[in-house]
Amino acid sequence: MHRITGKTGGDSLIEMSPTDSFNDGINGYHQHASSSTGSLQQGQSPSHLTPDVCVETCESLNNSLASLAPSDHSDSPQFEAETLERINALTGLSRKQALFLKFRSRVDKKKHSKDSVFFRDGVRRIDFVLSYVDDKDGERKQERRRLYEANLVNVGLELEIEDKSESDDGKTYFVKIHAPWEVLATYADVLKIKVPFKANDIPNNSEMPMNWLSTPFRLPEHIMHPEPDFFTAPFDKSKTDFFLIGDKDTFFPPSNRNRIVYYILSRCSYLRDECGDRDKKGIKRLLNNGTYTAAFPLHDCRYWTRSKDANCESDRYSLYKHWAGFFCFFKEQPLNLIRKYYGEKIGIYFAWLGFYTEMLLFAAIVGTICFIYGFLTYDDNQWSKEICSEEVGGNIVMCPLCDKKCGYWKLNSTCNSSWQSHLFDNVATVFFAIFMGIWVTLFLEFWKRRQARLEYEWDLVDFEEEQQKLQLRPEYEAMCTNRKLNRITQEMEPYLPVTSKCARTCLSGATVLLWISLIIACIIGVIAYRLAVYAAFASIMKDSATSNLQVVGPYITPQLATSVTASCINFVIIMILNLMYERVAIWITDMEIPKTHLEYENKLTVKMFLFQFVNYYSSCFYVAFFKGKFVGYPGNYAYMFGSNLRNEECDPGGCLIELTTQLVIVMTGKQVWGNIQEALVPWLMNWWGSRKARSHPESLYSRWEQDHDLQEFGQLGLFDEYLEMVIQFGFITLFVASFPLAPLLALINNIIEVRVDAWKLTTQFRRPVAAKAHSIGAWQEILNGMAVLSVVTNAFIVAFTSDMIPRLVYMYTQPDGEMKMKGYISSSLSVFNISAIPLANKPDDGENPPWFNSSIITTCRYRDYRYPPGHERQYTHTMQFWHILAAKLAFIIIMEHVVFLVKFFVAWMIPDVPSEVKARIKRERYLVQEYLHNYEVEKLKIQLSQNGHNDCTCPPMIYPSLPKHEMLSECL
């Protein structure tokens, strides 16, 4: 469908479809003119009209242009000749009108800036853009577009089409959509969009003491608060004079305008009404079947420069300058401007991310102090001194750590790993684990308060998601052919039979279990790698082959090499599985055919989080709670699944250092890879588009085409951002006792993440459709669950993975009452008779070190608490083992109860909604009721006085005398 576009004397565009019948309302497309445009007066003769008025006269234009070519966008000589020939065939006034229209169209096309976000008349704003490419076999698509656009016009939207000759590729058509005031007012009433009715008169007492300290981190006031504060109420079309409507063109901000237009686009049919098929509707289905290639609202200007159009906002430029730049990392975020430009749903995400980053600062400081404490007490580490000394560690011969390939070794060979372990395994570890349990509670409780404040400031207090819950997904309507009566709407709607729903749910659950089993299988594969490769590393490094390496050589041990390579392999597997799981989760969720968008989002959230939880944390759970716990003892070792691979033992320095290694590699690798992927890939994909935009003059590279070349901010855009941060939250809470520097790494990552996300959203993505959200949704419950689980995991890490409890038990059970650690190493190692080792498990002759002499050395030591050979209960657990186990269980119970009591007390002490916000909410609700009551009374008085002022001059007595504050037009 093509249009001839022209300008009237009042700079209003007239749109026509000469390929269709002009006498049929121009195929449903209305003729709209600006308020400044003159109109044909009743009884005025067309022969006396001025040229401008003639152009505005629809009837004369219909007659004069009925034979013109279908498009006026082509500048080819052949097309120009054909057009002139048709115009010359006309006579009289019709010919003059056609020539005038063509001339005005050509002049305006050249003068009109394509950087504008307005129609060619410079008055009507472009609220949405649809693009499409004509296919060779696209007759059905053309018919769909024709009917769809006609239906859009029937509901009041105004359209303007840019011909493909105007596009850079010469193939793409752009349909520009404008929503006039009547449409905006109607659907603002339907969507209950809140608008201002009175200036906020409550003084702001939020000034904090010593507020001047935050001056370097502030942004200009017009950026932080781009709009004045008002009391608001849901819009009512029948009470327009109740609201503060200054200019109807700017009353609804662009975010609300594109939200309203998208609401219409998603519900408009692309079939004739007589077809009766109500399922054939919505822009999503038209995008899926290729009828349109894209649908998006426009950015307001180019991000690297202010708009030259005086009528165009420059919010995007302000966001790019004050928010998206990396050198603004220490500045506060302009949340009100983000909300104004992108909508509440994206605004609430950046508010949460910013608040999370601020709270991480306190955790990072405490974690760094704990790490520094471990570093400063480096020389006071008595057990490491014993391990490194020749008198103790040099005289203790340890049993082989694997069969055949591993020989006997001296304890002092693990001197370096013992010192490294002390950095993270010290008294401060217990304190930090308890602190993080309280920090999580404070973070979640203070976020609730921050969220409540944003709900009030962003008019989300009474926001209900019922409309989203009742809105059926187009996919659900298409897949479900059965119908039943909806008790709420009293309309027949599609539904999924119970048998089909149960079958799909069972299949979905089985698929989820299958893919989780795949993750567990990969983890078992990595464990098998550890067992097989450790023997190889031990054999290679038996002669200290790495000692020739400077600096790092002495620190490389078979255990470290195995742990690092296994962690790297595990990280690669995790990233590969991630690519698969996102598609699998979407496929499973689509297979279930959720009824509403909210149900779809919740189901997808649960599946994706479950997959990511198992994928990222399973290896850490293995190292923390399973590795080294089921080893057995020399002569009676446990083997994995009956194979010849012996279950792993912990590093001689303890399993905590291995958990630290695993956590650092997976967490850091994920953050680095994520930032590279988020920043580099979009930049490369859009590099050519940005280059083209900068190289083209603004008059040649259109605003709608530039935005069309950007990436789409899809359904999973914000979802992926939340998921990434929640997984990071798990790393710094579930396993933080093993690595106090985890919050610091997360803080550094999040400082970059905020700016990378802002840069992507501002420069690399199309402007997303504004959406409302009063909270972070299901992620809040996930964070609460992880907060509770983190208390349990950290208590178990300190008790069973760390060596802190055995050391404390040894220190407090000294017979002389002196709390010293001397002799702890010897007491923590058990003795085994070398002659009792089975022949099949004994090291090969070439595997033992040169100092080993079997005739002199008859026993070896291993990590456990068992009776020595020759004892009546040899190789069974000693009483010391049971004392330590009791102390570990007691510590878990005490720590959990202390932290949980503090959590509940803090949650009880801190109200979810600040008292100031409660007062403002009550004040606003009171004012809404008061002003609405006064409005209705004043309106009724005016009506009664107009209807009966000739009959009765007395005031109506059925209404009491009300104190009159101000005239309605002034006070409201």
Side-chain angles (χ1 to χ4, degrees), residues 57-186:
T57 309
C58 298
E59 293 295 329
S60 61
L61 283 174
N62 291 345
N63 297 326
S64 62
L65 297 177
S67 60
L68 290 182
S71 176
D72 190 29
H73 295 291
S74 176
D75 296 326
S76 65
Q78 180 180 358
F79 182 85
E80 193 77 14
E82 293 177 358
T83 304
L84 290 175
E85 182 179 352
R86 296 189 181 189
I87 293 176
N88 290 331
L90 302 173
T91 58
L93 182 61
S94 298
R95 182 173 182 274
K96 292 180 181 180
Q97 292 171 348
L99 286 172
F100 179 78
L101 178 59
K102 180 172 178 58
F103 173 78
R104 286 295 303 269
S105 177
R106 293 183 61 186
V107 170
D108 289 332
K109 182 171 65 176
K110 294 178 180 178
K111 289 184 177 180
H112 182 71
S113 172
K114 293 187 177 182
D115 193 45
S116 175
V117 294
F118 294 90
F119 276 21
R120 290 188 181 277
D121 58 13
V123 176
R124 291 175 292 172
R125 186 184 185 91
I126 302 173
D127 296 314
F128 227 87
V129 174
L130 308 179
S131 66
Y132 64 90
V133 178
D134 268 341
D135 300 328
K136 294 181 179 179
D137 302 326
E139 293 184 2
R140 292 187 61 187
K141 294 180 181 179
Q142 290 181 6
E143 179 66 12
R144 290 191 197 121
R145 286 193 293 267
R146 187 181 71 82
L147 293 172
Y148 185 67
E149 292 171 16
N151 289 334
L152 290 178
V153 173
N154 288 336
V155 299
L157 296 180
E158 299 174 11
L159 309 183
E160 182 180 82
I161 288 188
E162 291 292 332
D163 192 82
K164 64 181 179 181
S165 60
E166 295 293 316
S167 64
D168 187 71
D169 59 5
K171 301 177 182 179
T172 306
Y173 293 88
F174 293 96
V175 182
K176 299 178 286 186
I177 302 175
H178 168 75
W181 168 257
E182 285 298 320
V183 174
L184 294 174
T186 299

Side-chain angles (χ1 to χ4, degrees), residues 83 108 150 349 400 449 526 580 611 721 738 762 851:
T83 304
D108 289 332
Y349 163 73
R449 291 173 60 85
V526 174
M580 302 168 60
F611 282 145
E721 300 297 338
S738 65
T762 307
W851 51 261

Side-chain angles (χ1 to χ4, degrees), residues 864-882:
D864 208 341
Y865 297 93
R866 295 180 182 271
Y867 289 110
H871 192 277
E872 59 180 3
R873 300 175 60 188
Q874 66 176 2
Y875 304 137
T876 60
H877 285 119
T878 63
M879 288 302 299
Q880 187 178 5
F881 169 82
W882 299 110

Side-chain angles (χ1 to χ4, degrees), residues 37-54:
T37 304
S39 60
L40 181 63
Q41 300 297 324
Q42 186 175 3
Q44 186 176 5
S45 174
S47 60
H48 296 88
L49 294 175
T50 63
D52 285 352
V53 177
C54 290

Side-chain angles (χ1 to χ4, degrees), residues 196-410:
F197 70 92
K198 184 184 184 299
N200 193 335
D201 59 357
I202 300 179
N204 187 2
N205 299 322
S206 60
E207 289 292 330
M208 298 180 62
M210 302 184 70
N211 202 24
W212 57 271
L213 292 174
S214 62
T215 301
F217 310 105
R218 293 179 188 168
L219 290 175
E221 183 65 21
H222 71 281
I223 300 297
M224 283 301 299
H225 303 283
E227 297 175 340
D229 192 12
F230 292 98
F231 290 123
T232 59
F235 185 78
D236 189 339
K237 188 179 178 181
S238 64
K239 301 179 177 66
T240 54
D241 52 347
F242 174 75
F243 302 99
L244 298 176
I245 303 177
D247 185 358
K248 290 183 177 181
D249 292 334
T250 60
F251 181 67
F252 292 105
S255 58
N256 281 341
R257 297 176 69 100
N258 70 57
R259 180 188 168 206
I260 291 173
V261 174
Y262 185 75
Y263 182 87
I264 298 173
L265 293 176
S266 63
R267 287 157 179 80
C268 190
S269 173
Y270 53 88
L271 288 181
R272 295 185 182 92
D273 293 338
E274 58 267 20
C275 294
D277 191 349
R278 296 185 179 181
D279 296 341
K280 303 297 184 181
K281 62 182 180 181
I283 187 61
K284 285 188 177 181
R285 297 195 66 177
L286 290 173
L287 291 172
N288 291 337
N289 60 33
T291 303
Y292 290 101
T293 56
F296 53 93
L298 291 179
H299 284 291
D300 61 9
C301 66
R302 303 180 192 276
Y303 62 85
W304 61 83
T305 182
R306 287 188 178 275
S307 175
K308 294 182 178 180
D309 192 333
N311 296 324
C312 179
E313 299 91 349
S314 297
D315 290 340
R316 187 188 186 193
Y317 170 76
S318 299
L319 287 171
Y320 177 74
K321 180 179 179 181
H322 297 283
W323 180 49
F326 177 75
F327 292 104
C328 300
F329 71 92
F330 60 93
K331 295 283 188 179
E332 57 186 338
Q333 294 189 87
L335 295 178
N336 289 322
L337 187 59
I338 297 170
R339 174 247 181 170
K340 175 188 173 185
Y341 192 75
Y342 291 114
E344 288 80 2
K345 192 169 187 178
I346 291 179
I348 206 78
Y349 163 73
F350 281 103
W352 176 81
L353 180 58
F355 183 80
Y356 171 45
T357 304
E358 292 173 10
M359 290 295 292
L360 273 177
L361 177 63
F362 302 101
I365 292 174
V366 176
T368 304
I369 292 175
C370 292
F371 177 79
I372 293 175
Y373 171 83
F375 183 80
L376 294 178
T377 57
Y378 203 69
D379 295 333
D380 300 331
N381 185 2
Q382 181 63 39
W383 53 90
S384 293
K385 290 180 180 179
E386 290 188 357
I387 291 175
C388 296
S389 66
E390 288 292 333
E391 293 77 12
V392 181
N395 291 324
I396 296 178
V397 177
M398 303 294 294
C399 298
L401 294 176
C402 63
D403 296 338
K404 305 294 285 184
K405 294 294 183 180
C406 298
Y408 297 95
W409 51 285
K410 290 185 177 181

